[in-house]
């Protein structure tokens, strides 16, 4: 018993938060690797060739960067036959990157005019919607008590509202039902978690939004503008 306790203690002693954070920061401390991570924020799996193009680097260099990111558990690799695809390791990494963008955006004080308006309006945040539109939707959900005050759960009204829209949740999903995700450009919350992902999927399936291939920007369709006005009281045009 004592030996087992000693082994457990020894394992914990090997974890040094400061060292782990420094290691993670080192894995991200390269512009090309950050370009790769930001590209993967669209929630889809990319090939090495596609990431090579978006980062504007040579294939051999891309391979080295991907290995570094894989080792740091920032991304994961999916194999299908002879093809390999890369995506962010988890939604937690996506939230971390979104927060980093917020910090960098507000510490460097860039003019909003220099940021593409389409990106500010609506974009992907891994598997859910971010930007001005997403923040307005979150405000609607909060005002109408579809979510709890901390944004970490759906209320009875919220469940009923999502059901009326045609969104049905899989209760077996272990992911957090919903969460308040801090939007880097608006500095307010948008909806994350399982509910945020389901809402994004619903919007896309019903052609309320369209992704821009290779970018995080999301286009609100004419049908989407009408639907957002009808169901969420948003004036998006």
């Amino acid at each position: 018993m004592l030996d087992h306790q000693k082994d457990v203690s020894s394992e914990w002693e090997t974890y040094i938060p400061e060292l782990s954070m420094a290691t993670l920061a080192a894995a991200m401390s390269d512009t090309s690797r950050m370009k790769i991570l930001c590209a993967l924020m669209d929630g889809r799996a990319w090939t090495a060739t596609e990431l090579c193009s978006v980062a504007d680097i040579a294939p051999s260099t891309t391979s080295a960067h991907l290995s570094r990111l894989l080792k740091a558990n920032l991304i994961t690799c999916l194999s299908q036959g002879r093809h390999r695809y890369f995506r962010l390791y988890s939604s937690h990494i996506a939230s971390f990157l979104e927060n980093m963008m917020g910090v960098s955006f507000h510490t460097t004080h860039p003019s909003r005019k220099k940021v593409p308006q389409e990106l500010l309006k609506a974009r992907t945040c891994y598997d859910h919607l971010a930007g001005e539109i997403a923040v307005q939707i979150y405000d609607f959900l909060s005002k109408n008590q579809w979510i709890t005050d901390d944004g970490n759960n759906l209320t009875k009204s919220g469940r009923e509202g999502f059901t009326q829209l045609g969104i049905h949740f899989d209760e077996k999903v272990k992911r957090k039902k919903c969460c308040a995700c801090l939007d880097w450009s608006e500095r307010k919350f948008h909806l994350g978690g399982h509910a945020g992902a389901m809402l994004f999927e619903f919007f896309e399936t019903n052609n309320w939004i369209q992704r821009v291939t290779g970018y995080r920007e999301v286009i609100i369709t004419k049908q989407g503008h009408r639907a957002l006005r009808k169901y969420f009281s948003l004036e998006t045009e």
Side-chain angles (χ1 to χ4, degrees):
M1 183 68 176
L2 290 175
D3 288 340
H4 173 69
Q5 289 179 337
K6 183 177 180 180
D7 291 340
V8 172
S9 175
S10 177
E11 289 179 3
W12 276 106
E13 288 175 359
T14 61
Y15 173 68
I16 304 174
E18 296 84 355
L19 178 60
S20 296
M21 287 189 290
T23 301
L24 182 63
M28 302 174 73
S29 62
D30 180 273
T31 302
S32 295
R33 288 198 288 273
M34 288 307 301
K35 285 181 178 179
I36 290 172
L37 291 173
C38 287
L40 295 176
M41 280 289 284
D42 73 348
R44 290 180 285 195
W46 292 54
T47 65
T49 301
E50 291 169 332
L51 293 171
C52 169
S53 177
V54 75
D56 193 24
I57 51 179
S60 58
T61 306
T62 303
S63 179
H65 284 317
L66 290 173
S67 295
R68 184 74 179 272
L69 294 173
L70 282 166
K71 186 176 180 180
N73 287 329
L74 287 167
I75 63 173
T76 185
C77 180
L78 308 172
S79 296
Q80 291 189 355
R82 295 189 301 175
H83 300 286
R84 300 176 75 208
Y85 298 89
F86 300 88
R87 66 184 306 164
L88 292 182
Y89 188 82
S90 69
S91 58
H92 295 296
I93 299 300
S95 297
F96 174 56
L97 292 172
E98 183 78 3
N99 287 333
M100 280 189 67
M101 290 175 189
V103 172
S104 64
F105 183 74
H106 289 273
T107 53
T108 55
H109 303 292
S111 170
R112 287 178 67 90
K113 293 181 180 179
K114 295 183 179 180
V115 182
Q117 288 303 306
E118 295 82 1
L119 192 67
L120 296 176
K121 190 79 172 179
R123 63 181 182 274
T124 55
C125 179
Y126 191 51
D127 60 359
H128 55 272
L129 191 66
E132 180 185 334
I133 299 294
V135 167
Q136 290 178 18
I137 291 174
Y138 185 92
D139 288 344
F140 171 89
L141 299 178
S142 179
K143 181 179 179 180
N144 289 274
Q145 299 182 333
W146 283 32
I147 54 177
T148 55
D149 291 340
D150 58 7
N152 288 329
N153 216 331
L154 294 174
T155 63
K156 181 180 179 181
S157 296
R159 288 178 177 275
E160 292 174 350
F162 273 89
T163 300
Q164 288 175 4
L165 280 174
I167 301 175
H168 303 281
F169 296 100
D170 183 357
E171 298 299 332
K172 295 181 180 180
V173 173
K174 295 182 179 180
R175 186 178 179 182
K176 198 170 186 178
K177 185 66 68 179
C178 66
C179 65
C181 185
L182 187 61
D183 196 279
W184 68 259
S185 59
E186 299 298 312
R187 301 309 288 172
K188 295 180 180 179
F189 295 118
H190 61 244
L191 186 67
H194 184 47
M198 291 294 289
L199 194 62
F200 186 90
E201 182 180 339
F202 176 79
F203 286 174
E204 191 170 27
T205 300
N206 287 276
N207 196 36
W208 292 12
I209 61 174
Q210 292 178 347
R211 298 193 195 210
V212 178
T213 304
Y215 298 92
R216 292 183 63 190
E217 289 91 340
V218 170
I219 297 173
I220 309 297
T221 65
K222 289 184 178 180
Q223 182 178 339
H225 284 297
R226 291 194 296 269
L228 290 172
R229 186 183 305 112
K230 177 179 179 181
Y231 295 106
F232 297 98
S233 303
L234 302 190
E235 293 298 331
T236 57
E237 294 182 289

